[in-house]
């Protein structure tokens, strides 16, 4: 994926970086003017683009977490999933990754409508699964990948349990072992 | 487990109830005097017993979530786990359960030392696993139960995805299918 250039992308990067820096410094409640000051942009640009601090925070967390664990196209589902899951594991062993995940979860207000915050990652995963299915490999559903791999990694961080090296590989192994050998088409993105 | 009676337990229940009510009303930031007022107790009792609002909130969340999904002793590991996991599922389909889980996660401050918040639940699970092992059944580790069953249920709530009926039964089925048939002793509570 190429990064779109130009001023707009630079502003976005600078603002995201400012959010991450402030969160890492413990300034969880930093308001938009403070974020703008740190990013060297006008607060108006932030209000116009993101609308609210929570939307900005969500965008920054999803963008950063996703960038840290791209899904490679290796020609093998196992290696695609390993490459991705090991990126997630690294990110979850890193203090900033942990802070972003916690910020992501904390920002979803209690009575908000359900929103597909995992949609972007789900789309990336679906592409990798579609490639494997086209090669005739047995494939899990996106929900199975989230249940078997992402949920255990994220829960360790959210409950402050250690993420041991090798966790991602073990979780991907479990997922693939659980697959039926028959590569019959399966339901897409069930509940 | 019998509930210890007496004034101390009544105060604890009243204070927990006040915390849950205030959280459910959206008063996430309710301070101790407000909680005390609602519970009809002296704020000093709360400070003396819990020390801080965060410790109180954690205690209330862990106690309530645990009480909603006790682990039965049915004589079969599958039924013990199903009884427990279906309790967790019900609790995660309920707005108060969702609020308590989110409060639990939010209350763990970013730079706190790792603490075993899941310890109480882990102990309950270990007891059920020990009973099954004594009967000669193949048993998972506590970590496997958390990975296969609790993490996917909790992650759905934290990311606002729906918890479909039957999710708990499907997750327990996956866990037991993944077990080796050989009931050899396995590592206890690995990473």
């Amino acid at each position: 994926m190429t990064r779109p250039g130009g001023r707009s992308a630079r502003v976005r990067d600078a603002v995201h970086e400012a959010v991450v820096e402030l969160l890492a410094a413990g300034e969880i409640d930093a308001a938009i003017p403070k974020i703008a000051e740190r990013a060297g942009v006008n607060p108006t640009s932030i209000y116009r683009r993101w609308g609210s601090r929570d939307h900005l925070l969500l965008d920054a967390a999803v963008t950063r977490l996703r960038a840290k664990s791209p899904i490679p196209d290796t020609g093998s589902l196992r290696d695609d999933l390993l490459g991705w899951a090991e990126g997630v594991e690294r990110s979850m062993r890193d203090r900033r990754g942990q802070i972003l995940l916690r910020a992501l979860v904390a920002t979803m207000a209690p009575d908000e409508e359900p929103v597909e915050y995992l949609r972007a990652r789900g789309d990336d995963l679906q592409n990798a699964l579609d490639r494997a299915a086209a090669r005739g490999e047995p494939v899990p559903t996106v929900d199975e990948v989230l249940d078997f791999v992402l949920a255990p990694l994220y829960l360790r961080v959210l409950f402050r349990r250690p993420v041991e090296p090798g966790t991602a590989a073990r979780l991907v192994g479990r997922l693939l072992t659980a697959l039926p050998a028959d590569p019959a088409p399966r339901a897409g993105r069930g509940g």
Side-chain angles (χ1 to χ4, degrees), chain A residues 77 81 126 129-130 133-134 136-145 147-148 174-191:
Chain A
L77 179 60
L81 290 176
Q126 190 64 59
L129 299 177
D130 289 346
E137 294 186 55
V139 293
T141 62
V142 167
D143 278 338
E144 285 169 335
V145 179
D147 283 352
F148 273 89
R174 270 185 200 163
L175 168 68
L176 296 178
T177 304
L179 285 184
D182 172 22
R186 310 178 66 201
R189 302 188 195 187

Side-chain angles (χ1 to χ4, degrees), chain A residues 20-37:
Chain A
V20 175
E21 293 297 326
L22 287 167
L23 286 175
E27 308 205 30
I28 309 284
D29 297 322
I32 284 185
K34 184 156 194 173
I35 297 169
E37 188 190 336

Side-chain angles (χ1 to χ4, degrees), chain A residues 100-115:
Chain A
L100 282 173
L101 176 65
R102 302 183 72 79
L104 179 61
V105 167
T107 306
M108 300 184 220
D111 290 304
E112 217 169 278
E113 283 295 296
V115 182

Side-chain angles (χ1 to χ4, degrees), chain A residues 84-103:
Chain A
W84 163 73
E86 286 171 349
V88 176
E89 179 187 305
R90 271 193 303 278
S91 171
M92 291 299 103
R93 292 165 65 81
D94 173 79
R95 185 165 165 277
R96 295 197 173 200
Q98 294 169 359
I99 286 172
L100 282 173
L101 176 65
R102 302 183 72 79

Side-chain angles (χ1 to χ4, degrees), chain A residues 15 18-23 26-44 46-47 50-57:
Chain A
V15 170
V19 168
V20 175
E21 293 297 326
L22 287 167
L23 286 175
E27 308 205 30
I28 309 284
D29 297 322
I32 284 185
K34 184 156 194 173
I35 297 169
E37 188 190 336
R38 183 152 193 143
V41 306
N42 197 307
T44 320
I46 297 188
Y47 287 113
W50 284 280
S52 76
R53 183 188 163 282
D54 279 2
H55 284 131
L56 165 57
L57 215 150

